[in-house]
């Protein structure tokens, strides 16, 4: 058994399978959570019948419904690109999970440049969005795709810069290394070692910038201009139907999952919770991480149902005039503190 | 209907208003029946009239037209003889005291042409397009005199009295098959007291 | 590739202009589009996200009411006009009936006038609540919709309680208000009045409506992003507003403190204490704010009307057959959308010789090509929504 697990390919296949099964499953749960949370915020009940209790099977039913629908491709569309685009989006989202550490051992590959990889893989989704917008032969789609691209350029920078603070503080770009750095005691009060996540070690601004930029990367309200159903109908999704639409839909929630997982790892201590013995992390780690992810996902959903949408130019000015200078200042302060302290 | 036709509620105020504005623009006539001040001007003074009135009554309410015809394809014909003509009318009002006046002019049916008001009131644009397609009146100098409501290539001018209402031609008015027959005009006019029946 | 093709390619290359020009893209919004409130079509010429020209195309909802009115009797027309602006159907009926009553020299009893007034103000509240809820939705915030529509439901229930209809009450008669309680002899037996408990329930509902106004003020007007999107966007200066016939809340948002309820006498508003809220800048924010305040004022009016509701008949004495003497009359009313007027030309028949319907949304929308020039694509929706039009009211 262990011999089998030591085989690189077997292990890889197993890990890929787990991610391919777990991530969409979790995404379904988040879809359900969004349905229910938005309903209660709007004094509605939300899904109620599907599955019997609380309408838990609603996302499944939706998924099956989508799959039954005809897979339409517009006549003037660039067919191969059009068909390939949702796969690129989903692929980019899933690829991020390679470096998310669910526990000290439960990680597909602990890359030395893990953080860098996560951000790079995450932005691949935008290429898929641009492909979808371009190939649909629809002006709304095109505008949506271009907006997504403009948004990516504007928000990738603050996202990366916000992470740099953490990287400086941890002294590593490995995701596991960053979690370990947060397990290190910051200081001692008597015998008790005080262990703090980076959020509480002074990365508050970094965390806020990261979350704002992540919302923009995910095209979630208040930064959902690429979709903007009141202006662009459905943006780059306008011409999609059936299974391909489902892939976009799933990718959105999987993206929420991956972004929240990265944020939780970088800023909230990942799979570690102060007080939990390190030996138990192998078992409890995934649960702890999921709890943190759920909290962040809840905040993302909460924001969506509270805020209107910004305008495209306002979004750009927010990124270039506020977030990037702030992030740079954050890096400077972090670097100075790292050297001085 | 009754011997004494009902009088207008407050003729004096509206009549005074019509008189005042009528004098200002040299109107052909000025009336204030039924609390509605109306002045009539000649077509060649149309734009000038509005330019003068715009200083006092800056709010452009609407522009429309009436097709005065002795013979009609739909509805009831007018009582007695009417002069065959198009009457174009606008309503202007102010936004402080609530004063307003209806300005009208008569156009011949053969060649209904009138200068556009777009220069004076930007809002006249759409109203004139509507009057153009509905009545076939040409507004000279209008920047974009095309159909507003009707599809391109629509034939005829629907609000002219000669334009038949096709649904009525094809199918009689469903209101005719009512539970109770509508009382005819004759028996109402014959029995005067029943006509003014209790309203419960 | 043949020589001809090569030649054609060569020619096309020669013809390329040296100057770099980006041709405008024609963006077609509607008639099926989430934010055009039905079947409005906008042909926008855009350069990137900047609009160079917009041409609204209307008429998809044109039902020809002015022609249809010519073949109907006055009581039948009431059923038509409540369908002009279906968001506040009741309010459209009143000025037509007042016009006919003026021509016939009939004065409805006080109670009928008060009921008309209460229902008109309810229609105003229901119309403005639709605006207050749908406008944030157009800016991307779906939650206020649910909160405002919840209270609107109570208002619609009350309107239904009295008139039997939620959108199209068809409740006005010449000389008063009264639902037709069956035809023929049955009509004489049934005496109908306001349903029991209506006044009490109205007061309770009004209380909740004001409550939801407070919520909206916190939720929407206090929202930074909402302010960013609406402040200084889509400014209509007063002179443009007047020349285009922009009326109602849109005009008041530009700073004109004018309300037909205060100047005309189509309903007994002069006995009531209410303010005319007016904006300062005439931007989208002011248009939202004015409508929010108008709900409060309408609530004040309803409360006063309910407290001083006179007793008496619902209907003046009118002939069995409504025949209107010869004459022309124009009666306008302050409808939720703006100035709603009917120019009735009577030639002594049972129906009008000509009925000109002056609807507010038509004029309010006509300012759009001027207003949208040079704006951004996202602001099309922000500005369009803030004008609060209904396609039925535009097309008639």
């Amino acid at each position: 058994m262990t011999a089998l697990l030591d085989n690189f390919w077997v292990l890889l296949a197993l890990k890929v399978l787990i991610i391919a099964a777990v991530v969409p499953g979790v995404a379904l749960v988040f879809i359900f959570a969004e349905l229910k949370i938005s309903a209660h915020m709007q004094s509605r009940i939300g899904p109620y019948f599907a599955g019997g209790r609380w309408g838990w099977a609603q996302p499944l039913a939706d998924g099956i419904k989508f799959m039954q629908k005809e897979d339409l491709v517009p006549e003037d569309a660039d067919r191969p690109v059009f068909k390939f685009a949702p796969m690129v989006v989903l692929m980019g989202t899933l690829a991020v999970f390679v470096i998310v550490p669910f526990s000290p051992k439960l990680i597909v590959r602990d890359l030395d440049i893990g953080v860098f990889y996560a951000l790079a893989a995450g932005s691949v989704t935008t290429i898929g969005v641009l492909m979808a917008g371009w190939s649909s032969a629809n002006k709304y789609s095109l505008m949506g795709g271009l907006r997504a691209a403009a948004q990516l350029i504007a928000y990738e920078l603050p996202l990366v810069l916000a992470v740099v603070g953490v990287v400086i503080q941890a002294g590593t770009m490995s995701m596991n290394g960053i979690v370990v750095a947060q397990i290190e005691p910051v200081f001692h009060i008597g015998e008790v070692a005080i262990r703090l996540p980076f959020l509480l070690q002074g990365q508050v601004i970094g965390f806020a910038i990261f979350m704002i930029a992540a919302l923009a990367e995910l095209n979630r309200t208040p930064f959902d201009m690429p979709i903007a159903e009141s202006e662009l109908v459905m943006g780059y999704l306008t011409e999609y139907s059936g299974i391909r639409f489902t892939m976009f839909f799933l990718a959105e929630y999987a993206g929420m999952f991956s972004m929240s997982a990265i944020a939780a790892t970088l800023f909230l201590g990942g799979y570690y919770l102060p007080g939990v013995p390190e030996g138990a992390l192998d078992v409890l780690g995934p649960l702890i991480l999921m709890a943190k992810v759920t909290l962040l996902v809840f905040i993302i959903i909460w924001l969506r149902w509270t805020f209107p949408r910004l305008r495209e130019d306002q979004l750009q000015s927010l990124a270039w005039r506020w977030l990037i200078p702030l992030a740079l200042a954050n890096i400077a302060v972090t670097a100075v503190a790292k050297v001085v302290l | 209907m009754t011997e004494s036709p009902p009088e207008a509620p407050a003729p004096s105020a509206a009549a005074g208003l019509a008189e005042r504005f009528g004098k200002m623009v040299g109107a052909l006539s000025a009336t204030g029946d039924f609390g509605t001040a109306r002045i009539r001007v000649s077509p060649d003074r149309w734009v000038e009239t509005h330019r003068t009135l715009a200083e006092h009554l800056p709010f452009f309410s609407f522009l429309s037209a009436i097709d005065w015809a002795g013979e009609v394809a739909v509805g009831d014909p007018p009582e007695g003889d009417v002069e065959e003509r198009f009457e174009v009318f606008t309503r202007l009002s102010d936004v402080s005291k609530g004063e307003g006046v209806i300005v009208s002019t008569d156009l011949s049916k053969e060649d209904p042409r009138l200068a556009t008001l777009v220069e004076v009131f930007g809002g006249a644009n759409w109203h004139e397009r509507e009057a153009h397609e509905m009545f076939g009146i040409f507004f000279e100098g209008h920047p974009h005199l095309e159909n507003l409501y009707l599809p391109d290539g629509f034939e005829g001018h629907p609000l002219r009295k000669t334009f038949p209402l096709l649904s009525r031609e094809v199918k009689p008015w469903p209101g005719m098959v009512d539970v109770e027959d509508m009382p005819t005009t004759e028996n109402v006019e014959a029995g005067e007291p029943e006509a003014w029946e209790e309203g419960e | 590739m043949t020589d001809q093709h090569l030649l054609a390619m060569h020619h096309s290359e020669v013809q390329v202009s040296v100057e770099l020009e980006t041709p405008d893209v024609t963006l077609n919004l509607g008639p099926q589009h989430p934010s055009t409130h039905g079947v409005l079509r906008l042909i926008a010429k855009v350069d990137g996200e900047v609009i160079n020209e917009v041409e609204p195309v209307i008429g998809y909802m044109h039902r020809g009411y002015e022609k249809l009115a010519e073949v109907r009797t006055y009581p039948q027309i009431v059923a038509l006009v409540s369908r002009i602006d279906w968001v506040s159907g009741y309010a459209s009926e009143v000025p037509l009936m007042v016009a006919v009553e003026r021509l016939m020299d009939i004065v409805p009893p006080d109670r009928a006038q008060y009921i008309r007034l209460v229902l008109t103000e309810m229609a105003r509240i229901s119309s403005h609540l639709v605006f207050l809820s749908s406008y944030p939705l157009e800016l991307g915030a779906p939650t206020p919709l649910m909160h405002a529509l919840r209270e609107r439901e109570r208002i619609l229930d009350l309107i239904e309680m009295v008139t039997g209809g939620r959108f199209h009450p068809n409740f006005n008669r010449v000389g008063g208000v009264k639902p037709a309680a069956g035809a023929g002899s049955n009509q004489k037996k049934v005496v109908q009045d306001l349903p029991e408990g209506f006044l009490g329930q109205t007061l309770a509902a009004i209380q909740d409506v004001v409550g939801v106004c407070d919520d909206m003020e916190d939720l929407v007007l206090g929202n930074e992003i909402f302010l960013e999107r609406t402040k200084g966007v889509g400014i209509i200066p007063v002179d443009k507003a007047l020349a285009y016939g922009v009326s109602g809340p849109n005009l008041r948002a530009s700073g004109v403190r004018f309300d037909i309820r205060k100047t005309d006498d189509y309903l007994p508003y002069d006995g009531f204490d209410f303010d005319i809220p007016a904006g300062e800048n005439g931007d989208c924010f002011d248009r939202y704010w004015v409508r929010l305040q108008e709900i409060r004022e309408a609530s004040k009016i309803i409360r006063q009307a309910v407290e001083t509701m006179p007793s008496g008949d619902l209907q003046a004495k009118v002939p069995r057959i409504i025949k209107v003497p010869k004459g022309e009359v124009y009666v306008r009313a302050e409808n939720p959308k703006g100035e709603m007027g009917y120019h009735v030309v009577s030639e002594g028949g049972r129906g009008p010789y000509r009925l000109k319907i002056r609807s507010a949304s038509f004029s309010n929308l006509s300012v759009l090509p001027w207003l949208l020039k040079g704006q951004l694509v996202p602001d099309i929706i922000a500005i369009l929504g803030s004008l609060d039009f209904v396609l039925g009211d535009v097309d008639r």
Side-chain angles (χ1 to χ4, degrees), chain B residues 1 5-9 33-36 38 58-70 72 74-82 87 89 91 93-100 102 120-127 129-130 134-135 144 146 148-150 157-165 167-168 173 175 178-185 187-189 194-200, chain C residues 40 55-60 62 64 66-68 70-73 76 102-106 178 183-191 239 241-247 251 256-258 263-264 313-332 339 341 343 345-354 356 358-359 361-363 365-369 393-396:
Chain B
M1 44 189 325
E7 272 176 47
D33 297 342
F34 304 106
T36 306
R38 288 193 294 144
F59 182 80
F60 178 78
S61 186
F62 66 83
L63 177 147
S64 191
I66 306 170
D67 178 10
W68 291 103
V72 296
V74 291
D76 299 327
E79 274 177 5
D81 290 335
V82 292
E87 185 181 347
F89 62 109
R91 187 172 199 280
S93 58
D94 71 356
V95 283
S96 50
K97 284 173 280 183
E99 293 176 344
I102 283 176
V120 190
F121 296 108
N125 190 322
W126 282 18
H127 290 276
R129 280 172 71 183
E130 188 191 352
M134 293 297 172
F135 292 94
H144 189 66
E146 282 171 18
L148 182 69
Y149 289 132
L150 301 175
H157 303 289
L159 278 182
R160 283 192 181 177
K161 287 288 176 183
T162 49
F163 192 90
L165 198 57
S167 57
R168 283 296 166 83
W173 173 227
D178 220 325
V179 183
E180 185 190 37
D181 278 344
M182 293 285 275
T184 57
T185 317
N187 65 34
V188 172
E189 271 166 1
E194 284 97 70
W196 290 85
E197 194 177 49
E198 291 254 327
E200 288 174 68
Chain C
L40 174 69
E55 199 204 334
V57 179
I58 59 174
Y60 294 95
H62 186 239
E66 293 180 10
K67 185 79 175 178
L68 293 179
E70 289 174 9
V71 296
R72 279 165 172 75
T73 64
Q76 286 170 340
R102 284 218 179 135
L103 283 171
M104 296 178 73
D105 196 21
I106 295 169
K178 191 163 178 299
S185 57
N186 192 23
Q187 196 167 8
K188 292 183 183 133
K189 287 179 204 143
V190 184
V191 178
D239 59 327
L242 295 177
Y244 277 89
V246 174
S247 55
L251 180 63
V256 180
R257 214 171 277 273
F258 174 70
T263 58
D264 289 25
D313 289 338
L314 294 183
Q315 179 97 31
K317 288 184 177 175
V318 292
R320 183 84 191 277
I321 289 185
I322 308 288
K323 274 190 87 180
V324 175
K326 198 168 168 160
E328 287 188 31
V329 67
Y330 178 71
V331 172
R332 59 179 185 169
E339 176 183 329
H343 187 86
V345 180
S346 170
E347 275 295 314
R350 292 165 62 186
Y353 181 74
R354 166 101 173 90
K356 164 66 190 169
R358 194 273 183 206
S359 61
S361 300
F362 179 74
S363 293
L365 197 67
S366 72
V367 77
L368 203 63
D393 203 26
V394 175
D395 288 354
R396 303 185 302 262

Side-chain angles (χ1 to χ4, degrees), chain A:
Chain A
M1 185 68 191
T2 18
L4 198 65
L5 276 178
D6 282 344
N7 184 316
F8 175 79
W9 293 108
V10 173
L11 199 61
L12 188 70
L14 207 63
K15 283 170 170 173
V16 166
L17 264 180
I18 287 175
I19 286 196
V22 168
V23 173
V26 173
L28 282 182
V29 174
F30 287 157
I31 292 171
F32 179 69
E34 174 131 47
L35 291 172
K36 272 295 188 191
I37 291 170
S38 68
H40 283 279
M41 281 179 179
Q42 300 180 339
S43 46
R44 293 184 284 121
I45 297 170
Y48 196 67
F49 294 105
R53 212 170 163 81
W54 316 306
W56 65 270
Q58 189 62 42
L60 278 178
D62 282 346
I64 292 165
K65 177 195 73 182
F66 278 134
M67 279 178 219
Q68 289 169 339
K69 299 230 165 175
E70 189 183 351
D71 180 21
L72 289 167
V73 180
E75 202 170 284
D76 292 336
D78 191 340
R79 291 185 77 94
V81 182
F82 184 86
K83 289 188 163 178
F84 194 47
M87 296 176 206
V88 173
V89 172
L90 197 56
M91 228 155 57
T93 313
L94 291 178
V96 174
F97 287 95
V98 168
I99 46 81
V100 175
F102 285 89
S103 77
K105 288 200 188 101
L106 194 58
I107 177 168
V108 177
R109 196 94 181 125
D110 186 17
L111 297 172
D112 289 343
I113 51 157
V115 176
F116 181 72
Y117 168 82
L119 299 176
S123 51
V124 167
T125 55
T126 307
I127 295 175
V129 168
L130 199 54
M131 284 164 67
W134 180 259
S135 64
S136 294
N138 180 318
K139 284 167 193 163
Y140 292 119
S141 299
L142 180 61
M143 286 180 85
L146 291 178
R147 281 180 179 192
Q151 212 159 307
L152 172 86
I153 294 165
Y155 278 85
E156 196 73 352
L157 259 154
L159 194 73
V160 172
L161 293 177
V163 170
V164 169
V166 171
V167 172
I168 291 174
Q169 214 157 354
T172 173
M173 281 174 90
S174 144
M175 293 293 269
N176 225 343
I178 288 172
V179 177
V180 171
Q182 296 179 76
I183 301 178
E184 295 285 312
V186 187
F187 52 85
H188 291 82
I189 300 176
E191 286 296 299
V192 187
I194 299 298
R195 301 175 157 99
L196 290 174
F198 281 141
L199 177 67
L200 300 179
Q201 289 186 35
Q203 288 297 333
V204 179
I205 293 174
F207 178 66
I209 295 172
F210 185 89
M211 283 314 285
I212 292 172
L215 280 180
E217 285 263 306
L218 293 169
N219 301 334
R220 295 279 299 185
T221 319
F223 306 107
D224 62 341
M225 292 72 133
I227 300 172
E229 70 264 28
S230 60
E231 302 151 20
L232 300 183
V233 188
M234 256 323 238
Y236 57 87
L237 296 175
T238 307
E239 297 289 356
Y240 280 93
S241 66
I243 185 88
R244 284 174 218 285
F245 179 80
T246 321
M247 285 160 99
F248 277 115
F249 199 64
L250 216 55
E252 183 187 340
Y253 287 87
M256 266 164 72
F257 181 20
S258 70
M259 274 296 177
S260 304
I262 294 171
T265 308
L266 295 181
F267 294 97
L268 302 181
Y271 52 76
Y272 176 70
L273 195 70
V276 178
E278 276 178 49
L281 283 181
D282 275 337
V283 183
L284 291 178
L287 294 177
I288 292 168
L289 184 74
M290 280 314 292
K292 290 172 179 174
V293 166
T294 309
L295 183 73
L296 291 178
V297 166
F298 174 75
I299 290 173
I300 292 175
I301 293 174
W302 184 11
L303 287 175
R304 168 164 180 187
W305 296 99
T306 309
F307 280 115
R309 171 186 314 123
L310 272 171
R311 212 167 56 203
E312 192 64 21
D313 58 322
Q314 291 166 345
L315 163 136
Q316 297 286 346
S317 84
L318 177 70
W320 294 103
R321 286 171 55 197
W322 293 102
L323 294 186
I324 292 178
L326 258 178
L328 287 172
N330 183 47
I331 292 173
V333 172
T334 312
V336 169
K338 176 88 176 172
V339 174
V340 173
L341 292 181

Side-chain angles (χ1 to χ4, degrees), chain B residues 1-199:
Chain B
M1 44 189 325
T2 49
E3 286 90 350
S4 57
E7 272 176 47
S12 55
L17 210 61
E19 189 112 335
R20 184 149 67 86
F21 289 118
K23 236 174 230 157
M24 206 179 285
V25 296
L28 302 175
S29 69
T31 56
D33 297 342
F34 304 106
T36 306
R38 288 193 294 144
I39 59 177
R40 205 158 62 83
V41 297
S42 68
D44 49 326
R45 292 178 52 81
W46 182 245
V47 179
E48 192 190 332
T49 301
H50 282 85
R51 197 161 274 145
T52 313
L53 287 177
E55 288 167 21
H56 307 275
L57 305 169
F59 182 80
F60 178 78
S61 186
F62 66 83
L63 177 147
S64 191
I66 306 170
D67 178 10
W68 291 103
E71 284 182 23
V72 296
V74 291
D76 299 327
E79 274 177 5
D81 290 335
V82 292
E83 189 194 336
E84 294 276 334
R85 65 186 198 276
F86 286 120
E87 185 181 347
V88 180
F89 62 109
T90 59
R91 187 172 199 280
L92 310 177
S93 58
D94 71 356
V95 283
S96 50
K97 284 173 280 183
E99 293 176 344
V101 68
I102 283 176
V103 188
S104 70
T105 190
D106 290 341
L107 300 178
S108 77
K109 284 220 164 157
E110 285 73 42
D111 183 28
R113 278 177 191 284
L114 197 61
T116 178
L117 286 180
V118 171
E119 294 292 312
V120 190
F121 296 108
N125 190 322
W126 282 18
H127 290 276
E128 284 178 357
R129 280 172 71 183
E130 188 191 352
H132 168 68
E133 65 181 351
M134 293 297 172
F135 292 94
I137 298 167
F138 286 93
F139 291 90
E140 285 165 344
H142 191 286
H144 189 66
L145 202 58
E146 282 171 18
N147 280 359
L148 182 69
Y149 289 132
L150 301 175
D152 296 338
F154 188 90
E155 280 179 28
H157 303 289
L159 278 182
R160 283 192 181 177
K161 287 288 176 183
T162 49
F163 192 90
L165 198 57
L166 265 182
S167 57
R168 283 296 166 83
E169 309 275 313
V170 176
K171 197 178 164 201
W173 173 227
M176 298 305 267
V177 282
D178 220 325
V179 183
E180 185 190 37
D181 278 344
M182 293 285 275
T184 57
T185 317
E186 285 73 36
N187 65 34
V188 172
E189 271 166 1
E192 215 45 64
E194 284 97 70
W196 290 85
E197 194 177 49
E198 291 254 327

